Amino acid sequence: MNPEEWLLKARPFWPLLLLFCVVLGGSVYGVAIGLLIGSGGLLVLGLVLAWMSLGELTNEEPLSLDEALELAAPERREQEKASVLRALKDLEQEHRFGKITDAEFALESARMRQQAKRLLATLDESAKARKALVEARLKRLMKSQTVPAVATSGDTEQGEP
Amino acid sequence: MWQSLPEFGSLVLYAVLISAAYTFAVAVAASRDRLRWLRSARLGAYATSAFVGLAVFMLAYAFVTHDFRLRYVAHYSDRSMSLGYLLAALWGGQDGSLLWWSSLLSVFVAICVRWMRGRYRVLQPVVIATLMAVEGFFVVLMLFAANPFAVSLAGAPAEGEGLNPLLQNYWMIVHPPALYTGFVGCSIPFAFAVAALVTGRLHEEWLLAVRKWMLVAWLALSIGNVLGMVWAYEELGWGGFWAWDPVENAACLPWFTATAYLHSTMIQERRGMLKVWNVFLIGLTFFLTIFGTFLTRSGLISSVHSFAQSDIGIYFVWFMGLVLATTIGLVIWRLPQVRGQGRIETVLSREAAFVLNNWALVGLMFFILTATLFPKLSELVWRETIVVGPPFFNRWAAPLGLLVFLLMGCAPLFGWRRTSGRTLRKNFVAPAIAMLVVGILHVTLGARLGYPAFVAKDQTAPGILGIITQKLAMSAPLITIVLAALNVVVIGQEVVLGLRARLAASKERGAPEAVPLALVRLVGKNRRRYGGYVVHLGITAMFIGFLGTAWSLTREISLSPGQATSLGDFTMTYTGPRVCPGSPACSNEENADTTKRMVFADLQVKKGTKSLGRLSPAKFIYNRMPGSPTTEVGMMRGLLSDLYVVVGSANPETKRAEFQIHVNPFVSWIWIGVLVLILGTSVSIWPEVSWGALGVWVLTRTSLRLEAESRVARGESS
């Protein structure tokens, strides 16, 4: 990894590094110097970020995988599924607490389960091709014994904040 | 000294404006699925935040180095101020507080943009554009109407004027940032609502995104408002914590609409109803945060909290108009999509209770808003000066508040959609018994303990309405205590029901759980529900604290050294005045403080036969402002009551002092309540499902990564 790539990878830690410098400078040379260090750091940070932002406008290259993943998002049906399952959990709890009658629970629960099933089926269908691809790749990687490095790094780097 | 600091500071503000405008334009363009442009907008938002941070650091540097060339620094600081107050002066005046607002917004923007990484791709560009528009507005205000880097026309004075002594209080250091955090936090839900309306993605996605942000903003608003109460209670010295001051009122208005939203969003999530109402509530909450700021800064109303009269009001009027027009226009445009799907089937349902609760909260907000603005309206329209004072607010706000308190207790007893009569009876048995028992105990024993169930109140309005409000005010203590019992028992019942169900289920599984473990797991699995109940407990404690004002005792008395007086359970003996620095009785710290002259009037306090120590209410005369002495309260806090003493004057010759003594029951419960509220909200905010845990999403990412790795291995381009 060249220094530029390394710097870009460490981007989330820039503000922390700056804060550290401010605290260190402030405690050694006084608050005013600490504030000046902070000002200088923020000026550089702002200019670099603005420059990078402008660079993106003129960049004709297709997105790299990491860049694409940064902008990717779970699809709408995933969120709907999460909502329906959460509502179903609430419903079951209310039934256990005696807030709703058995008949109402049966009716509402059947409706929600039907909705959840439909969503799961759609999601499974859309994931089938990707699932097969992952399985095939994993099998191949298992053979070459490089699975942990690839799978783990991929997941943690792109994990949610 | 940094010679070019004022010019450079203004230059940085221009940089913020340019960066925000650029990011806005790029984000708008990125909404046409241009991914590179979206990346550019994200970076632009970070850059804007960095430039705002730079401006704040520079102003802080100017304060710390006493650069009195800056008008703002000269006006709000002097060389004698400690570092803490020098930094607090950043938001002590109009110009700096606008920069402070802007900086908090930039922190929210940076966190939000980072948080949106890998999610909400369609909403992101509009969210960023909206936030940049808000940021841009505040920078425009600073650049053209209230520049904190403007220099004094008369040149740099040798010494600054100093921060208002009333603001030199610990709570004043933390209160404005907390309140501003709440205000600024409401920008994020607003940005998401606008994004959902613009893009037409009006399903659960934006609601889920907004919930946590609104909770964070609501929590900060709650803390900010309560810190304001603490400051007023400790510093203003009139004996209470809430005076219905216009600025206090303006600060609490968004809290009501945010609370309403946090409840009504559950109806939309569960039943797909109230979509328009929820968008309206978010828009209104954001509008009220701007309106509150406008009220404090425009000089429209006079208040102990407001800044000097200025001409920035018109900017706010235009911006508020723009916010209203945008929200209403977008809702009308998307009306066919935002129409609710279901309807309330019966009033015996949780959604009906939530809707009633929403109406009461929004009604309370409108009442406070109208009553706050009425004197100004009357002056403008009828040219008549009308004073709307605390008695008027208390008369009408108390019944509405109690209605909210009642609904807060009842709502958890109802099920969604409908609740059968049998279920309802079963659910209401324990709370009803508790209310009855507590009510009877209060009526029979309350007066004997000093907390009567009924208090004397004058009829303050004519006619039947006047009689009703009088009777309500008279029985407010009993109603509050009974409703507090309802709330506590309902929450207890909910926890017990959940615990029983969990224990039974664990036994069925063959792995029985101990009660504490089951309780922890129950809450852990249902953080939102039980976090909400903990918040309700906090609010109940706060209601008990508010109720205490009905039983407060006040006495004004003039004492000579050696004389004693009693109030409630407390006996106070005046030992004489003490002027610091100078007196041998002063502590080293008091003698070392040369910024002011402190006149203490010491009292020895006893409760029954037990000595509680010395109380030293005082008048502080600051060297910078000798004409405006401040009142320093002497206070002894307790769970049951606070002893609160203010000294009016102390004659140095006769040594006679005038005291105002208050015994304020249960005030500590307000502060305890807010701590419980913080705990509950924290439980509720904790994430239940992370996107990373969603199966297909993980699968998609893994497959993409593996595919890329294999391409790289084959030497293909990505």
Side-chain angles (χ1 to χ4, degrees):
Chain A
M1 200 186 289
N2 64 38
E4 195 187 344
E5 278 179 7
W6 187 87
L7 265 175
L8 282 175
K9 280 273 176 202
R11 212 167 49 197
F13 299 102
W14 290 357
L16 283 178
L17 181 69
L18 181 59
L19 188 67
F20 175 73
C21 293
V22 170
V23 173
L24 190 69
S27 46
V28 176
Y29 299 105
V31 181
I33 297 296
L35 290 168
L36 271 187
I37 293 172
S39 302
L42 283 166
L43 178 62
V44 172
L45 189 66
L47 289 174
V48 168
L49 288 165
W51 185 253
M52 285 167 68
S53 172
L54 284 167
E56 284 297 328
L57 289 184
T58 51
N59 193 346
E60 298 287 324
E61 291 280 306
L63 291 173
S64 70
L65 177 69
D66 283 339
E67 289 170 343
L69 284 176
E70 196 175 294
L71 299 177
E75 63 172 301
R76 189 167 64 90
R77 280 169 303 190
E78 276 296 334
Q79 294 159 7
E80 278 180 36
K81 184 191 82 175
S83 282
V84 172
L85 292 179
R86 192 181 301 125
L88 193 59
K89 191 174 90 174
D90 280 352
L91 187 77
E92 281 171 355
Q93 198 167 36
E94 277 175 20
H95 181 236
R96 274 207 305 275
F97 290 4
K99 296 261 176 70
I100 48 173
T101 62
D102 291 344
E104 282 161 12
F105 173 70
L107 193 75
E108 192 68 4
S109 167
R111 191 184 64 80
M112 283 186 185
R113 280 172 196 280
Q114 198 60 39
Q115 198 180 345
K117 269 185 207 167
R118 201 177 56 240
L119 281 167
L120 283 169
T122 322
L123 287 166
D124 280 349
E125 190 58 39
S126 68
K128 209 179 264 177
R130 278 169 291 179
K131 200 174 169 185
L133 178 73
V134 173
E135 279 174 358
R137 297 263 188 261
L138 277 175
K139 270 182 198 161
R140 208 179 308 159
L141 286 165
M142 291 271 277
K143 276 182 194 165
S144 61
Q145 296 185 327
T146 56
V147 175
V150 173
T152 314
S153 73
D155 218 32
T156 47
E157 275 170 31
Q158 295 305 318
E160 296 305 315
Chain B
M1 187 180 279
W2 180 356
Q3 288 301 324
S4 58
L5 187 140
E7 295 80 16
F8 189 69
S10 296
L11 195 69
V12 171
L13 290 183
Y14 277 108
V16 176
L17 183 62
I18 292 167
S19 181
Y22 155 81
T23 309
F24 174 86
V26 173
V28 169
S31 59
R32 292 181 183 174
D33 218 17
R34 292 175 176 163
L35 295 180
R36 281 270 174 221
W37 288 50
L38 179 54
R39 270 179 64 76
S40 175
R42 288 171 58 84
L43 290 164
Y46 287 134
T48 310
S49 297
F51 288 135
V52 176
L54 170 60
V56 173
F57 267 66
M58 287 182 55
L59 191 58
Y61 175 78
F63 268 112
V64 171
T65 55
H66 308 297
D67 191 339
F68 298 130
R69 287 175 302 159
L70 298 190
R71 192 179 55 200
Y72 182 72
V73 175
H75 195 59
Y76 290 100
S77 71
D78 61 42
R79 291 178 199 277
S80 67
M81 279 164 58
S82 66
L83 179 67
Y85 289 127
L86 278 175
L87 294 178
L90 272 173
W91 53 85
Q94 172 108 287
D95 310 358
S97 70
L98 290 174
L99 178 61
W100 185 249
W101 175 296
S102 187
S103 74
L104 286 175
L105 180 61
S106 71
V107 172
F108 267 93
V109 168
I111 295 173
C112 181
V113 170
R114 168 74 190 156
W115 177 77
M116 287 191 297
R117 185 174 178 257
R119 61 180 94 174
Y120 310 120
R121 199 182 68 208
V122 181
L123 298 179
Q124 258 195 71
V126 189
V127 170
I128 294 173
T130 310
L131 291 172
M132 286 301 113
V134 179
E135 186 79 82
F137 164 69
F138 278 95
V139 183
V140 165
L141 261 184
M142 280 186 277
L143 278 173
F144 302 111
N147 188 346
F149 294 101
V151 291
S152 310
L153 290 177
E159 177 61 301
E161 291 171 36
L163 191 65
N164 183 339
L166 282 176
L167 302 180
Q168 294 191 31
N169 172 287
Y170 169 75
W171 298 111
M172 212 50 201
I173 295 181
V174 288
H175 157 61
L179 197 60
Y180 284 9
T181 305
F183 276 18
V184 170
C186 295
S187 310
I188 308 279
F190 176 70
F192 268 98
V194 170
L197 287 167
V198 168
T199 57
R201 287 171 74 97
L202 290 153
H203 41 78
E204 289 86 351
E205 183 186 35
W206 78 274
L207 273 184
L208 293 174
V210 159
R211 201 180 76 81
K212 296 267 155 93
W213 288 102
M214 193 53 121
L215 265 174
V216 170
W218 181 84
L219 177 62
L221 276 176
S222 309
I223 296 172
N225 274 298
V226 171
L227 289 177
M229 284 189 210
V230 179
W231 171 73
Y233 190 56
E234 287 196 354
E235 192 63 23
L236 296 185
W238 60 274
F241 45 81
W242 194 267
W244 295 108
D245 177 274
V247 172
E248 288 175 354
N249 297 349
C252 77
L253 294 177
W255 187 89
F256 289 110
T257 47
T259 311
Y261 171 77
L262 288 172
H263 289 87
S264 67
T265 186
M266 284 190 252
I267 305 179
Q268 184 173 343
E269 281 177 41
R270 189 63 189 261
R271 300 281 320 273
M273 296 160 56
L274 304 184
K275 287 180 182 172
V276 178
W277 177 247
N278 283 329
V279 172
F280 167 75
L281 281 179
I282 286 184
L284 185 61
T285 304
F286 178 69
F287 175 84
L288 288 171
T289 62
I290 302 294
F291 177 77
T293 318
F294 160 72
L295 216 56
T296 327
R297 280 140 221 287
S298 60
L300 187 72
I301 42 93
S302 55
S303 149
V304 65
H305 306 269
S306 59
F307 297 109
Q309 198 137 13
S310 76
D311 53 359
I312 66 168
I314 192 67
Y315 290 85
F316 275 98
V317 171
W318 279 105
F319 187 62
M320 287 190 292
L322 185 69
V323 169
L324 272 185
T326 308
T327 312
I328 294 170
L330 284 172
V331 169
I332 292 172
W333 180 40
R334 293 288 184 192
L335 204 53
Q337 282 164 271
V338 290
R339 280 215 176 98
Q341 292 157 353
R343 62 182 181 84
I344 293 175
E345 292 169 20
T346 160
V347 286
L348 299 179
S349 64
R350 188 171 298 180
E351 49 269 46
F354 278 3
V355 167
L356 280 176
N357 168 295
N358 261 237
W359 287 352
L361 284 164
V362 174
L364 195 50
M365 185 280 293
F366 271 116
F367 162 72
I368 296 171
L369 178 68
T370 313
T372 304
L373 292 180
F374 194 74
K376 203 70 202 174
L377 273 178
S378 141
E379 211 176 293
L380 288 173
V381 180
W382 299 288
R383 312 228 173 262
E384 202 177 325
T385 308
I386 289 177
V387 177
V388 179
F392 180 80
F393 278 101
N394 288 334
R395 191 194 317 150
W396 296 104
L400 276 169
L402 288 174
L403 176 63
V404 172
F405 198 29
L406 168 72
L407 290 165
M408 188 177 101
C410 292
L413 297 173
F414 293 99
W416 288 102
R417 205 173 277 270
R418 71 172 68 84
T419 317
S420 69
R422 196 172 62 85
T423 310
L424 207 56
R425 273 195 300 279
K426 196 180 84 184
N427 290 344
F428 262 104
V429 168
I433 291 172
M435 286 163 74
L436 197 67
V437 170
V438 168
I440 290 169
L441 284 174
H442 191 199
V443 171
T444 50
L445 299 175
R448 220 175 298 169
L449 297 169
Y451 308 112
F454 302 99
V455 287
K457 290 279 175 187
D458 295 330
Q459 188 179 335
T460 47
I464 186 81
L465 210 58
I467 295 170
I468 292 171
T469 52
Q470 184 201 14
K471 299 287 176 207
L472 264 174
M474 285 170 71
S475 47
L478 176 67
I479 298 172
T480 311
I481 287 287
V482 164
L483 292 181
L486 165 75
N487 274 278
V488 171
V489 172
V490 165
I491 295 164
Q493 180 174 279
E494 288 291 303
V495 173
V496 169
L497 280 172
L499 204 54
R500 258 195 223 152
R502 178 152 193 108
L503 289 171
S506 69
K507 211 175 265 179
E508 270 173 33
R509 280 199 313 271
E513 289 171 352
V515 173
L517 179 70
L519 184 64
V520 170
R521 286 186 175 162
L522 176 75
V523 175
K525 293 269 180 198
N526 304 277
R527 292 191 190 103
R528 188 176 176 181
R529 176 190 289 258
Y530 291 102
Y533 288 152
V534 176
V535 171
H536 282 196
L537 269 185
I539 303 274
T540 303
M542 290 172 81
F543 262 93
I544 298 286
F546 299 145
L547 165 67
T549 54
W551 299 312
S552 62
L553 304 168
T554 302
R555 171 171 299 167
E556 286 186 29
I557 194 163
S558 174
L559 295 173
S560 292
Q563 284 188 320
T565 185
S566 295
L567 190 64
D569 298 335
F570 299 97
T571 306
M572 289 138 280
T573 309
Y574 175 46
T575 56
R578 181 166 51 93
V579 181
C580 301
S583 163
C586 301
S587 67
N588 289 340
E589 200 182 316
E590 286 162 350
N591 273 326
D593 190 345
T594 53
T595 61
K596 55 184 176 280
R597 203 158 60 91
M598 297 170 272
V599 182
F600 294 99
D602 296 328
L603 294 160
Q604 282 297 332
V605 182
K606 276 185 179 176
K607 194 171 188 180
T609 54
K610 189 182 166 196
S611 173
L612 297 180
R614 189 175 75 172
L615 208 56
S616 303
K619 284 279 181 195
F620 285 1
I621 301 138
Y622 284 82
N623 301 342
R624 294 254 146 231
M625 298 177 188
S628 325
T630 63
T631 301
E632 304 299 316
V633 176
M635 194 167 10
M636 281 182 178
R637 296 180 188 279
L639 274 182
L640 289 180
S641 57
D642 289 356
L643 176 63
Y644 183 106
V645 185
V646 177
V647 61
S649 64
N651 189 322
E653 287 169 13
T654 62
K655 299 191 186 303
R656 201 169 174 80
E658 308 279 338
F659 292 97
Q660 198 181 60
I661 306 167
H662 303 265
V663 174
N664 295 330
F666 301 128
V667 174
S668 297
W669 287 89
I670 301 175
W671 325 134
I672 293 171
V674 82
L675 292 177
V676 177
L677 182 146
I678 293 169
L679 173 74
T681 316
S682 307
V683 170
S684 214
I685 286 174
W686 207 261
E688 279 187 42
V689 180
S690 70
W691 294 117
L694 292 174
V696 176
W697 181 224
V698 172
L699 195 66
T700 310
R701 291 195 311 190
T702 314
S703 87
L704 282 169
R705 181 159 288 282
L706 290 173
E707 199 174 326
E709 298 275 351
S710 88
R711 273 186 190 171
V712 170
R714 290 200 304 270
E716 293 171 18
S717 117
S718 60

